[in-house]
Amino acid sequence: MNYSNVEDTAALYAFNNLPKECNTSPSNGGYDFDDCSWFTFFGNPNDMSEDSLPSNDHRSGSTSRIPRCAQRPRQMASANRFHQMAASPRPSPRPNYSFQPVFHERTTHEDDTVLTQELWKLARKSGTLNLSNKGLASVPERLYDINEADAESRAATLEQLSIKDEDAWWNQVPLTNLDLSSNALSHISPKIENLQSLTVLILHDNALVDLPAEIGKLEKLMRLNVSRNKLSDLPRELYSLPELRHLNISYNEFSELNPDISDLHMLEFLDAGHNSIKSLPGGIGFLVRLTALLLPYNHIKDLPPDLVNMRSLQRLDLMQNDLTCLPEDMGLLRKLQFLYLQHNDILELTDFEGNETLTELHASNNYISNIPIRMCENLPHLKVLDVRDNKITQLPDELCLLRNLNRLDVSNNSIDKLPVSLAALAHLISLQVEGNPIKSIRRDILQCGTSRILRTLQERSVAKSKDEGESDSGAGARLSGGQAGNDTAANYPDRYKLRHTRTLAVNLEEITDVPEEVFQLAQKEGVHVVDFARNQLRTVPNGLQHMQNIVTELVLAHNRIGQVPQFISQFTRITLLNLSNNLLTDLPKEFGVLNTLRELNIANNRFSFLPSGLYDLQGLEILIASDNHINELNVAGLQRMPRLSTLDLRNNDIDFIPPILGTLTNITHLELVGNPFRQPRHQILMKGTESIMSYLRDRVPR
C-alpha cells in the first residue's frame, strides 16, 4: 500500500500502537478513545460529525477516506444512530465472560443464577423442577423456599393477580418432583426438609458423600434415586419414610445394608447393585411388597433364610457375586419370574418346586454339573434357560417337559450328545450348543443353526420310534381316536403330568383332531394351559368347550386352521391366545367380549385388515399382527384400546401411517418395518418407538 504523505504513515503507526497509548481497561468495555492522542488529528469517533471531519486541505492533495464514506446514505444513518447513542446516558457495563477461565471453581452465585425466574414460575405451575446437568456445585438456596410465596406475589394486589391469573397463588402447586441429577453436588442442605410435598427426588450422578438426616422428614417421598455417588451409608431417619416405594443406591460405596431397611414396609423396588456388599441383613424378608431386588456386582456369599418371605418378588438379580448355593425353599417365591445368577460359584441348581411362574433362568458362568430332572418338571412356563459356560456333561431327556422354552443356551460346556427329546420343544427358536464336544451330530449340521439341528433330532426320534415297533402316526392316531378306542383318555395324555404341570401340551405329532375325552380329562385335572402347536389341525377342536371356564393360555400356532369358532368368546379366564402361522382371514364379531385377554398373536396369517372385534378388547396389552396382508390402519379403533402397549405390524401392506397414531401415548412399543409406506422413513423407524411417535405427532394438523 502506498501512502501519499508522511501524515498517513504517522497515522498508521499510531493506530498500530493503540494498546500502548490508549486505556484498554476491561472495566470500560474496551478502548477509551478520550485519552488517545492519535485522535488529535482525526477527532474522537464519539464526537464525529460533518463539522468535525477534517477537510481535504489537510491531506496535501490526497482525498480523505472519512468524508468519502460519510457520503453513503447507509453510513450516514449509522453515524446518526451512533451520535444519538453517544448523547444518551451510557448503560451499566455488561460482564465480559470472555475473560473468565474455562476451568474455575464454581461459585454459589453462579449456582443461584441457574434457577431463573422462568424455571421458577414453571415449577410453581407444574410441581416439577428439572435442574439436571447444570454443573451445579451446590443447590440454589432459593430452591428451598419454592413452596413459599415470593415477594412479588405477596406485594401484588388481588386486582393485579386477577390480571395475571396464571401467576396467581391459587394456580400454583407445591413442588413434588425434583431432579438434581448429573451435577457436581457434594452435599444437600438440611433445608431439604422445607420441601415437604416432594414425592420424587432424583440425585444420581453427583459427588454426594452423605445425605442430611432431615431427608427423613419428607413423609410423602415415594421415589429416591441416589445412584452413582460416593455414599457409604444412609441416614437412619431415611428408613422411617412411610411412603417410599422405589430406592436406588447402586454404584456407590456401600459395604453392607443397614438392618433398618426392613422398616421400609412400602418398598417395591430396591437396586443396590455395583457396591461392595458382602452380606444381606437378617430381617430383609420383611420387605413383603418388594417386586424387584437387584444386587448385581457385589460380594455376597450367601442369602439369608428369610429372603424367601418376599412373596411378591418377581425379579431377583444376583449376578456377579460369590454365591455357592441357593436357598432350598426357593419355591416359596411363587411369583418369581426372572432370576439372574450369572458369574457366581454355584455348584448345583435347586428343583425350584413351587416356582411355576418362572419364565427366565440365567445361570451362566458357574460350576453347575447337571440340570436337575425335577427342575424340568417344575418349570412349565420357563421360556429362557441360559446355562452356558458351566461344567455340564449331559442333558436330561426331561428337558422336553419345558414346553414353553424359547431359548436354550448350553454353549461352552462338556456335552457330547444332544437328546432327541429336544425335538419335542415346539416353541424352541434358539438353541446354542457351540463350544461342546458333540459327536452325535455332524459339525456341518451344528453350524447350520437351530432349525437344522431340531430337524435332525426329529428325524432320529421318528426312526427310533419305528425301531421300537411304534408306527409313525401312533400318537396322532391315539389322539384322533383312530386306534386307541375307549382307552384314549386313560392312556394319553398322562394323568400325573396333567395334574402336576396343569398343562395339556401335544406338539409335533401331526394330529388332525383331538377327541373330547382328552379335554374332559384335562378339565378334571384342573389344566389351565392348552398347547397344540405344530400339528395339522384344520379347526379348533370342539372339545375345548369343556374347558372354557378354566383355560388361561391357549396356543394353536403352526397349524392349518382357517376359521375360529364363535364359542371362543365363552373363555372367561383366557389371558393369552396364540393363533399365529395359520390360514385365518377374520375373527368372529363376538371376539370382543374377551375382557380378560392380555396378549393376542395372529402373525403369519392372511388378514387384510385388523378384525373389528379386536377394537372392543379393553384389556388387550400386546397385539402381534406381523406378516399378514393388512393394508390400512384404523386409528379410531385403536383409540378404543386404552391398555394397548405393544403393537407389531411388521411386514404387511400398509401404505400410509396416519399422523394421529402418534397421539396414542399408551403405545410404548411399535413395530412398522417392512411396509410400503414412504413416511416415516426407514432411518426414523430404526430409532425406535419414541422417535416414530414424535415424528407422527409433529405432523398432526393443528
Side-chain angles (χ1 to χ4, degrees), residues 7 20 422 606:
E7 291 177 356
K20 297 180 180 180
L422 289 178
R606 299 181 179 181

Side-chain angles (χ1 to χ4, degrees), residues 387-393 409-418 431-439 443 446-447 453:
V387 288
R388 68 182 187 274
D389 293 285
N390 276 283
K391 306 295 181 181
I392 299 174
T393 58
D409 192 343
V410 294
S411 55
N412 299 325
N413 279 279
S414 301
I415 302 169
D416 58 0
K417 182 181 179 181
L418 294 179
L431 175 61
Q432 304 296 325
V433 296
E434 62 270 10
N436 284 284
I438 297 176
K439 300 178 181 179
R443 185 174 181 180
L446 296 175
Q447 292 176 343
I453 296 174

Side-chain angles (χ1 to χ4, degrees), residues 516-530:
E516 291 192 13
E517 291 83 354
V518 172
F519 296 108
Q520 292 173 351
L521 175 62
Q523 190 269 339
K524 292 179 181 179
E525 300 299 338
V527 169
H528 55 81
V529 177
V530 178

Side-chain angles (χ1 to χ4, degrees), residues 337-339 358-362 379 381-387 402 404-409:
Q337 298 180 21
F338 307 95
L339 179 59
L358 192 64
T359 58
E360 293 189 16
L361 173 57
H362 301 265
L379 301 178
H381 300 290
L382 193 67
K383 295 182 178 180
V384 177
L385 177 58
D386 181 3
V387 288
L402 302 175
N404 291 298
L405 199 63
N406 293 332
R407 175 188 165 199
L408 175 61
D409 192 343

Side-chain angles (χ1 to χ4, degrees), residues 45 52 78 132 294 313 315 330 347 358 374 398 409 426 428 464 520 526 571-572 630-631 663 673 684:
S52 63
S78 300
S132 63
L294 312 183
L313 197 63
R315 182 181 179 188
M330 281 287 293
L347 301 176
L358 192 64
R374 291 292 306 276
E398 285 74 11
D409 192 343
L428 190 63
K464 182 180 179 180
Q520 292 173 351
F571 284 68
T572 56
I630 300 171
N631 51 40
T663 63
V673 176
I684 296 177

